[in-house]
Amino acid sequence: MVFRKLPGVSASGMGLRLSQKFVFLLFLSGLVTLCFGALFFLPDSVRLKRIFLSKTETQPATVGSGSENDAHEHLKRPREQQEHPRGMTSAKGETSTKLKSQSRKPQISHHEATERERLVGGRAQEELTLSRSNTESTSEKETSSDHVANTDTFSYKAFQRCLLKQPLGREHGKPSDPRTNERREKVKEMMKFAWDNYKRYAWGKNELRPLTKNGHIGNMFGGLRGASVIDSLDTLYIMGLMEEYNDAKEWVQNSLDLNSNGEASLFEVNIRYVGGLLSAYYLTGEEVFKSKAMELGEKLLPAFNTPTGIPRGVINLGSSGTSWSWGWASAGSSILAEFGTLHLEFVHLTELSNNPIYREKVINIRKLLNKIEKPHGLYPNFLSPVSGNWVQHHVSIGGLGDSFYEYLIKSYLMSDKTDDDAKAMYYSALEAIEANLVQKSPGGLTYMAEWRGGILDHKMGHLACFSGGMIGIGADDGAPEKRQHYLDLAAEITHTCHESYTRSATKLGPEAFRFDSGAEATATRLSDRYYILRPEVIESYMYMWRLTHDPKYREWGWEAVEALEEHCRVESGFSGIRDVYTVTVSHDNMQQSFFLSETLKYLYLLFSDDDLLPLEDWVFNTEAHPLPVVRKSCLQDEETQDKTASK
Ligand code: DMJ
C-alpha cells in the first residue's frame, strides 16, 4: 500500500527498477542491523536482550561461585577439568615475585591469639549518568589453568600467629586516663545511636535518611544492599558492640544477596563491600565474610577487560560483566583514584584464595602507571583504558586523585615493607607534589593546591585532608634526611585542615576551602559549604596522635565530636549539613555509611590506646577497614609447621 503512493513504484513491488530494489534492500538490511545493534543499549534486565545476547557476553573468571561450598568444590577439581572462563582475558601483568622473605617473629603465642575471640567494624557520584562504551578484550588470552586457586587454603590460625600483637590490645584499647575514656565511651554511644536508627528505619538498605526516617538505596552499588551493615561490621566489633555486631553478621549470612544485575561503581563496591568483608573476616575468622568477599571479588574481574587492563569505573554485577566509563569522565576515561584504589583489597583476595589473578590485575595497573610519562612527575586524574594515555592534565590530591597516593604507601606498609615499587612510586610522587602543589598561604597555612596543566587552583578539598595522615605514616620510611620534614609537613597540613573547621560557625569543615581573593581555609562558593559527615580531617588527627602523641590532636577530635553532636545529630540518626557557616543548620537527610565505617572509627581509635589495631600489624583501607600486614615468610613457615604437626 505504501509503495503505491511512491512515484514509479507498482503496487506489487514486482515492477521496481533494479536500482530501487537495491536501495530498498539496503534500507531493509540497515534497519535490521540497527534493531540488532539497539539490543546492546538496552538495560540488562530487558528479556529480549537476555534472549539474544546472553551466550556471547563475558563471564567472570572462576574461583568458585555461589556458596562457600561451591567454591570449595571448584577448588578441589583438577586444573585441567576446570571450566574455561568464557571470554575472560587477562591483564598483561605478572605475578609479583618480589616479596622478599623477611621473617618477623610473632610476639604473641598461639594461645593468646586464639583466646581473643571477641571481644572480639563519597564521593557524590550517585545519580550520575553513565556513558556506555564497548567492552574490549585484552589481546593476551588467559587460560583457566593460569588463574585458578590452588588447593592450599588460607590458614586463619597461621595468620593469627604471624601478627606481632593482639588486634584488640590488652584491654581493647581502653585508655587509662578517665577523661579520655569518657570521650571514647561517648563515641561508642554515637555509634550505637547511628546504628540503632539505621536498624530501626533503614535495615538492609544502603543508608539511613534520618529526617524522613527511611532507607536510601541509590545506584552506586549496582543493586547491592546493606552498605551500612558491611561498613559497620568492624567498627561494631572493635567497639565491643557485640549484640549489634551479631545482628550485622546474621544479616550478611542470611540477607546479603550478591546476585544483583545492576551497574555498580567498581571503586565503591571494592572499598566498602570487599574491604568491609575482608576486614570482618580477618578480625573474627568467620568464614561467611571470606566467602562473600571472594564471591564479590570475582564479579569485579570483568571490569579489567580493556585493551590496557586498566578497569573502567562502572561494572555490571550480573553475568554480562559489561563495564562502562562514567559519563562525566573525559572521553571515556578511567579515574586515577578509582583504578588506583584496588591494590590492598585485591592483594588480600589473592592471599585468601591462593588465586594470583587479583594481584596480577593490580600489579598490571601499577606497571602501566610506573612506565607512562608523567607531567612534572605528577599523575593526572584521567587515563584512557583503551590507549593507556592521560586524557587531561588535572592533578589533585583531593577528589579524583586522593586514594591512589594513599594506596601506594599503604601497599608498601601492608607488604611488610617489601613492595619496593610501591615505595619508590610513592616517594617520587610525593616529591612531585611538594615541588608543584604544596603552597604556603599569606597567613602561613600550608596547603595542597590543585594543578590544571601547569596552572594552580588554590583550592583544597575536604577529601585532600587525608593527606596529613598519609604523609605522617610514610614519614619514617622516607630518606633519612627527609623524615622529620615529612612529619612536619603532615602536621602542617593537618593544622590547616583543622583551621578549615575552626573558621566555620559550626566548627565543622566545608567540602572545599580556598586560599585566594583574601580567603584562608574558608569556602568562598556557596556550593562548597556543605559537610556530609566526612572523615578525612579526623583521620589525620588519629594518625598524627599515634605518631606524635601531641594532646592537641585529641582536643581537636573532641571539638569535632561536640560539633557533630550539636549540628548533625537529629532525632533519628546523624545527618550532613548544607552550610557549615551558619548555626541555623539545614540537614541533608543522609547518614552516610562512611560515617559509621570511618568517622566514628577514627574518633574511637583517637581516644583509645595505640594497642587497639596496632599500626605495625594493620593498614586501613580508604574506607577505614583494617587489613593485616602480609608476612609472607612467617605465614609459609607457620603453615608448614601446621602441616608437619598434622601428619
Ligand atoms: C569514603 O568513601 C572514602 O574515604 C573515600 O576514599 C573517599 N570518600 C569517602 C569519605 O569521604
Side-chain angles (χ1 to χ4, degrees), residues 404-523:
F404 157 69
Y405 305 97
E406 176 186 351
Y407 270 36
L408 285 179
I409 184 64
K410 288 184 176 175
S411 294
Y412 172 64
L413 297 174
M414 199 182 83
S415 71
D416 203 15
K417 304 194 177 179
T418 61
D419 186 347
D420 294 332
D421 291 341
K423 180 182 185 186
M425 282 170 78
Y426 171 74
Y427 288 104
S428 54
L430 187 55
E431 244 174 59
I433 289 167
E434 274 211 81
N436 295 284
L437 309 186
V438 174
Q439 302 286 304
K440 188 80 102 187
S441 75
L445 297 178
T446 304
Y447 64 97
M448 304 258 194
E450 300 201 356
W451 192 89
R452 294 174 192 278
I455 314 273
L456 284 185
D457 187 1
H458 295 271
K459 158 190 162 192
M460 187 163 171
H462 193 289
L463 289 166
C465 285
F466 85 97
S467 60
M470 175 186 77
I471 296 169
I473 54 170
D476 231 20
D477 295 295
E481 70 281 7
K482 286 273 186 104
R483 288 178 189 164
Q484 189 55 45
H485 165 72
Y486 285 143
L487 205 55
D488 294 343
L489 179 61
E492 284 172 32
I493 301 253
T494 307
H495 169 71
T496 300
C497 291
H498 175 247
E499 283 300 301
S500 79
Y501 275 48
T502 55
R503 292 170 193 223
S504 81
T506 56
K507 305 299 168 212
L508 292 165
E511 179 67 3
F513 43 93
R514 306 195 66 94
F515 297 87
D516 50 14
S517 320
E520 289 256 344
T522 51

Side-chain angles (χ1 to χ4, degrees), residues 58-61 87-93 134-140 142 266-267 270 296-316 321-324 334 338-343 345-347 349 357-366 385-386:
T58 318
Q59 293 290 313
M88 188 66 202
T89 55
S90 77
K92 293 178 200 122
N134 296 330
T135 303
E136 303 89 349
S137 294
T138 45
S139 51
E140 199 179 310
E142 179 179 283
L266 170 69
F267 164 79
N270 178 57
L296 190 52
E298 189 188 326
K299 283 172 181 284
L300 303 182
L301 288 173
F304 295 80
N305 292 345
T306 64
T308 56
I310 296 287
R312 298 186 191 284
V314 185
I315 176 157
N316 179 285
T322 4
S323 63
W324 296 267
S334 297
E338 296 199 330
F339 64 79
T341 308
L342 303 165
H343 206 102
E345 297 80 2
F346 274 51
V347 162
L349 287 174
I357 195 168
Y358 302 100
R359 189 196 299 270
E360 287 175 10
K361 295 295 183 197
V362 290
I363 290 286
N364 177 58
I365 298 176
R366 160 92 62 77
V386 177

Side-chain angles (χ1 to χ4, degrees), residues 122-123 267-268 271-272 463 534-536 594 598 622-623:
R123 229 163 299 270
F267 164 79
E268 297 289 356
I271 65 168
R272 301 193 203 206
L463 289 166
R534 284 199 193 280
E536 291 77 15
F594 54 68
E598 296 191 72
T622 195
E623 189 77 0

Side-chain angles (χ1 to χ4, degrees), residues 38-271:
L39 281 172
F40 287 92
F41 290 86
L42 290 174
D44 288 327
S45 50
V46 175
R47 204 161 154 245
L48 202 63
K49 179 176 179 178
R50 292 205 300 265
I51 293 167
F52 281 98
L53 300 180
S54 62
K55 293 251 159 48
T56 58
E57 299 239 353
T58 318
Q59 293 290 313
T62 51
V63 179
S65 61
S67 67
E68 195 194 345
N69 287 346
D70 290 341
H72 287 162
E73 266 319 300
H74 186 85
L75 300 183
K76 279 185 224 146
R77 268 184 270 156
R79 282 180 164 205
E80 58 278 11
Q81 279 174 27
Q82 301 217 9
E83 206 182 323
H84 185 90
R86 237 182 320 140
M88 188 66 202
T89 55
S90 77
K92 293 178 200 122
E94 58 182 48
T95 313
S96 171
T97 50
K98 283 213 155 175
L99 294 174
K100 294 177 200 152
S101 304
Q102 219 188 54
S103 193
R104 301 265 298 262
K105 276 277 165 254
Q107 288 173 4
I108 52 171
S109 65
H110 185 190
H111 172 69
E112 280 171 322
T114 45
E115 214 191 33
R116 76 180 96 84
E117 248 210 85
R118 159 41 204 192
L119 255 182
V120 232
R123 229 163 299 270
Q125 281 171 348
E126 292 177 74
E127 331 295 346
L128 289 165
T129 51
L130 313 176
S131 84
R132 183 180 292 242
S133 52
N134 296 330
T135 303
E136 303 89 349
S137 294
T138 45
S139 51
E140 199 179 310
K141 289 281 176 211
E142 179 179 283
T143 64
S144 61
S145 60
D146 289 338
H147 294 118
V148 289
N150 68 36
T151 47
D152 290 338
T153 48
F154 177 81
S155 161
Y156 188 75
K157 288 200 168 143
F159 147 71
Q160 285 182 307
R161 296 197 299 271
C162 289
L163 292 172
L164 302 177
K165 294 181 175 168
Q166 298 179 33
L168 301 181
R170 271 181 310 159
E171 267 199 273
H172 311 118
K174 185 177 174 190
S176 48
D177 164 36
R179 197 172 74 123
T180 307
N181 192 42
E182 243 171 63
R183 291 179 168 185
R184 187 171 99 129
E185 286 301 307
K186 176 66 204 166
V187 177
K188 183 170 168 180
E189 183 279 328
M190 292 164 78
M191 179 68 190
K192 183 161 165 47
F193 178 72
W195 173 262
D196 286 348
N197 280 292
Y198 165 74
K199 190 169 172 221
R200 181 156 180 209
Y201 298 112
W203 191 229
K205 302 280 188 337
N206 285 327
E207 295 97 2
L208 163 70
R209 286 191 180 278
L211 299 188
T212 45
K213 301 184 184 172
N214 59 348
H216 174 255
I217 293 175
N219 57 12
M220 217 158 53
F221 307 117
L224 295 179
R225 304 287 165 99
S228 290
V229 179
I230 310 295
D231 256 354
S232 296
L233 281 163
D234 51 12
T235 312
L236 294 170
Y237 187 78
I238 66 161
M239 288 183 178
L241 290 165
M242 294 315 283
E243 207 179 294
E244 292 77 3
Y245 160 76
N246 282 323
D247 288 343
K249 182 178 86 182
E250 210 171 284
W251 186 88
V252 173
Q253 263 158 352
N254 303 328
S255 309
L256 175 59
D257 180 8
L258 301 179
N259 292 315
S260 90
N261 192 25
E263 276 88 37
S265 156
L266 170 69
F267 164 79
E268 297 289 356
V269 168
N270 178 57
I271 65 168

